[in-house]
């Protein structure tokens, strides 16, 4: 199986690659459009800030490429947010694969010290749908680090509750995305990556 991790100015590419290596998968990290198009599966990771990352994608025509892909694609963390229509982070127009808007977490008055932003650490995922998840993963804990979230919608395939319920994962056609980091989520994250590779 030919797995490609899209190479761009993202922060977690090597950790995703290491997670795949632990599963016995050798992925190629590349920005070559032909290699990305020909891959069996594509992973679009990301840690960083939305507007500068979108500017980089546009400058390198990766935005048009990602949207045009027909094979299974998995966005991770910032990857999920950039696959949405718009982010409040520096008022950024994103790829528009998902209709959802990305908003900043705002703690409820008086709870600023309880529900800190960013949302950082382990939290449970619920209401799982799609082949990305198996029934035994319901209410399991995965690792999050983010200050912005995608709203819940018809594309939501996993929900997490932090300050409010939000989309922990999204799915539309051949595009899948997780707000959490499967590559940092131990055996549960490994199962989710394996499920993606089986799609």
């Amino acid at each position: 199986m030919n797995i490609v991790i899209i190479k761009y100015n993202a922060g977690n590419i090597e950790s995703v690659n290491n997670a795949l290596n632990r599963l016995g998968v050798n992925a190629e990290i590349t920005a070559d459009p032909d290699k990305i198009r020909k891959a069996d599966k594509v992973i679009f990771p990301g840690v960083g800030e939305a507007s500068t990352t979108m500017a980089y994608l546009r400058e390198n025509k990766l935005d048009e490429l990602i949207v045009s892909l027909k094979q299974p694609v998995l966005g991770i963390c910032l990857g999920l947010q950039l696959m949405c229509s718009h982010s409040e982070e520096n008022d950024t127009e994103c790829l528009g694969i998902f209709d959802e808007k990305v908003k900043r977490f705002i703690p409820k008055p008086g709870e600023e010290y309880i529900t800190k932003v960013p949302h950082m650490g382990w939290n449970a995922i619920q209401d799982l749908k799609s082949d990305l998840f198996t029934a035994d993963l319901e209410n399991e804990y995965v690792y999050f680090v983010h200050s912005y979230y995608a709203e819940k919608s018809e594309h939501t395939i996993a929900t997490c509750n932090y300050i409010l319920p939000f989309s922990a994962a999204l799915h539309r056609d051949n595009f899948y995305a997780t707000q959490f980091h499967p590559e940092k989520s131990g055996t549960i994250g490994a199962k989710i990556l394996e499920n993606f590779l089986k799609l």
Side-chain angles (χ1 to χ4, degrees), residues 162-186:
Y162 186 80
I163 299 178
L164 77 175
F166 67 89
S167 292
L170 295 168
H171 172 217
R172 183 178 188 177
D173 301 326
N174 57 307
F175 293 97
Y176 299 78
T178 64
Q179 181 58 66
F180 57 89
H181 288 272
E183 78 281 8
K184 296 179 181 177
S185 296

Side-chain angles (χ1 to χ4, degrees), residues 130-170:
S130 102
D131 296 335
L132 197 60
F133 303 104
T134 45
D136 61 316
L137 297 177
E138 184 77 25
N139 292 312
E140 289 287 0
Y141 280 72
V142 291
Y143 190 75
F144 292 87
V145 184
H146 61 123
S147 299
Y148 294 80
Y149 67 92
E151 301 169 301
K152 284 192 65 179
S153 74
E154 62 182 315
H155 301 125
T156 302
I157 56 169
T159 300
C160 181
N161 202 330
Y162 186 80
I163 299 178
L164 77 175
F166 67 89
S167 292
L170 295 168

Side-chain angles (χ1 to χ4, degrees), residues 5-17 42-50 52-54 56-57 66 73-83 89 95 143-148 176-184:
I5 301 171
I6 296 178
K7 183 180 180 179
Y8 72 109
N9 61 339
N12 63 329
I13 288 175
E14 284 302 330
S15 58
V16 171
N17 192 39
V42 174
I43 298 179
F44 176 46
V47 170
E49 186 273 326
T52 52
T53 306
M54 275 306 305
Y56 180 93
L57 293 177
I66 292 165
V73 177
L74 177 65
I76 296 174
C77 194
L78 182 63
L80 174 144
Q81 296 178 14
L82 297 179
M83 290 163 80
E89 188 173 22
L95 296 171
Y143 190 75
F144 292 87
V145 184
H146 61 123
S147 299
Y148 294 80
Y176 299 78
T178 64
Q179 181 58 66
F180 57 89
H181 288 272
E183 78 281 8
K184 296 179 181 177

Side-chain angles (χ1 to χ4, degrees), residues 80-119:
L80 174 144
Q81 296 178 14
L82 297 179
M83 290 163 80
C84 292
S85 62
H86 179 271
S87 175
E88 285 185 355
E89 188 173 22
N90 291 318
D91 191 21
T92 304
E93 291 301 318
C94 298
L95 296 171
I97 292 165
F98 303 116
D99 300 328
E100 289 69 27
K101 290 180 169 55
V102 174
K103 299 183 174 182
R104 183 173 172 81
F105 280 123
I106 300 174
K108 294 169 185 170
E111 295 186 3
E112 294 86 354
Y113 295 103
I114 302 168
T115 50
K116 295 182 178 179
V117 178
H119 173 211

